[in-house]
Amino acid sequence: KTGGFSMSEQSLTREVLVAHPHTEATVVQRVFRKVRIGDLLSHLVLLLGAVTMVVPFLWMLSTSLKSDQQAYIFPPIWIPQPIMWSNYITTWQALPFDRFFINSLLVAVAVTFGQLLTCSMGAFAFARLHFPWREPLFVLYLATIMVPFQVIMIPLFILVRELNWLDTYTGQIIPLIFSAYGTFLLRQFFRTIPIELEDAAKIDGCNYARIFWNIMLPLSKPALATLGIFVFLFSWNNFLWPLLVINSLEMKTLPLGLAYFLGQYTIYWNLLMVGATITLLPVLIVFFFAQRYFIEGITLTGLKG
């Protein structure tokens, strides 16, 4: 486009002006009106979507600063009077949130590094190594994405129980360090790396381990960063699997800690929103520093191969 108009629009406008010079002002006004209305509608839709996404977070922050009575007032109020900053101290002292935070961070980081290692090795094998039945095996492995976790959680729980991994970090981490989605994502990226680099490394005497470590991984930093962000967010917010394998209070993660504010007869909404705000802060920090990788993650899943 040139000057906000496409070439076809410019040609059509030029022909109309030559044939009917007296309509110049009318044509220009119509074209500008069309462009302005289109831009206005686009911005209105984007603004509506942005407000829709931001309002729940603002409501969560507002509720976290309310008293017990204000949390149930109808119609609800956005700015509490007075602002109860003490809710954060009360919530932090009511439960060992520092322990919950450490547990969540340890599990999320371990699962992230574990998936990056296993998925990158599996992706390298499916993308570069030649062995019998490689493509059918990859299709079968990829088909496991369609199996819901609820289908395999009971056999997985029995296996963890037999290994005496219940109520341990091992039971939370090891079953989650394998991912067909991560293997697929990295395999698609590995296949875009020129094969000539691998051939040159073989001529220099590199084996597959050196090619994987010194060539494939350094060139795959965007894909690895994208997968790492997705895995970290999933593990940080994971509720179902820790609920199954964790029993003791000192081993619980933040999502399990928030469930303590859901009583049988009442819900402490203000304290629950405080815990949700504390849980959300690391996710916002990760998103702020690595938001461009979220966009790359969308494009990487559509790479040809």
Side-chain angles (χ1 to χ4, degrees), residues 36-79:
R36 290 175 180 176
I37 292 177
D39 292 342
L40 180 60
L41 292 177
S42 300
H43 284 81
L44 287 177
V45 172
L46 293 175
L47 180 61
L48 180 61
V51 172
T52 304
M53 295 297 295
V54 171
V55 166
F57 296 102
L58 296 178
W59 179 254
M60 177 184 67
L61 181 61
S62 173
T63 305
S64 68
L65 298 174
K66 295 178 181 179
S67 62
D68 294 335
Q69 294 77 16
Q70 289 178 339
Y72 291 95
I73 291 179
F74 187 84
I77 58 175
W78 280 92
I79 301 178

Side-chain angles (χ1 to χ4, degrees), residues 27-256:
V27 171
V28 173
Q29 291 177 358
R30 289 180 179 178
V31 173
F32 273 101
R33 188 180 300 113
K34 177 182 177 182
V35 174
R36 290 175 180 176
I37 292 177
D39 292 342
L40 180 60
L41 292 177
S42 300
H43 284 81
L44 287 177
V45 172
L46 293 175
L47 180 61
L48 180 61
V51 172
T52 304
M53 295 297 295
V54 171
V55 166
F57 296 102
L58 296 178
W59 179 254
M60 177 184 67
L61 181 61
S62 173
T63 305
S64 68
L65 298 174
K66 295 178 181 179
S67 62
D68 294 335
Q69 294 77 16
Q70 289 178 339
Y72 291 95
I73 291 179
F74 187 84
I77 58 175
W78 280 92
I79 301 178
Q81 294 293 337
I83 298 177
M84 303 293 294
W85 295 104
S86 59
N87 288 344
Y88 285 82
I89 300 177
T90 302
T91 303
W92 193 266
Q93 295 177 349
L95 293 170
F97 262 87
D98 52 347
R99 183 66 182 181
F100 296 162
F101 191 91
I102 294 174
N103 292 338
S104 293
L105 185 63
L106 178 62
V107 172
V109 171
V111 171
T112 301
F113 278 101
Q115 279 207 27
L116 289 179
L117 178 62
T118 60
C119 293
S120 60
M121 295 175 65
F124 178 74
F126 283 120
R128 294 305 196 195
L129 301 185
H130 299 280
F131 52 89
W133 304 99
R134 184 185 69 171
E135 296 303 326
L137 286 175
F138 177 71
V139 172
L140 290 176
Y141 187 55
L142 190 62
T144 59
I145 297 179
M146 296 184 293
V147 180
F149 179 75
Q150 290 78 4
V151 175
I152 64 173
M153 67 179 183
I154 295 178
L156 192 61
F157 174 81
I158 296 174
L159 179 62
V160 170
R161 185 190 62 185
E162 294 299 323
L163 294 173
N164 294 322
W165 286 355
L166 292 179
D167 207 29
T168 62
Y169 289 120
T170 306
Q172 297 185 70
I173 296 171
I174 297 300
L176 302 180
I177 64 174
F178 308 96
S179 171
Y181 168 77
T183 304
F184 166 74
L185 177 67
L186 295 180
R187 173 187 177 270
Q188 298 300 92
F189 189 87
F190 286 168
R191 290 173 69 93
T192 64
I193 298 176
I195 193 67
E196 290 77 11
L197 295 175
E198 182 180 338
D199 295 336
K202 291 179 179 178
I203 294 175
D204 291 336
C206 292
N207 54 20
Y208 281 114
R210 290 287 302 275
I211 294 173
F212 170 73
W213 186 259
N214 295 333
I215 296 178
M216 304 300 288
L217 289 186
L219 294 176
S220 305
K221 289 181 181 179
L224 293 173
T226 301
L227 178 60
I229 293 170
F230 290 158
V231 175
F232 180 85
L233 295 181
F234 165 78
S235 180
W236 183 266
N237 297 319
N238 192 14
F239 178 82
L240 181 57
W241 182 245
L243 180 64
L244 295 175
V245 299
I246 298 302
N247 298 319
S248 60
L249 181 64
E250 60 272 9
M251 291 297 300
K252 291 185 180 295
T253 57
L254 281 173
L256 296 181

Side-chain angles (χ1 to χ4, degrees), residues 255-287:
L256 296 181
L258 295 180
Y260 279 97
F261 297 108
L262 302 176
Q264 182 176 2
Y265 301 105
T266 185
I267 300 177
Y268 302 95
W269 286 109
N270 53 344
L271 302 184
L272 180 62
M273 292 299 103
V274 170
T277 304
I278 296 174
T279 304
L280 184 64
L281 287 179
V283 178
L284 292 178
I285 294 174
V286 171
F287 178 79

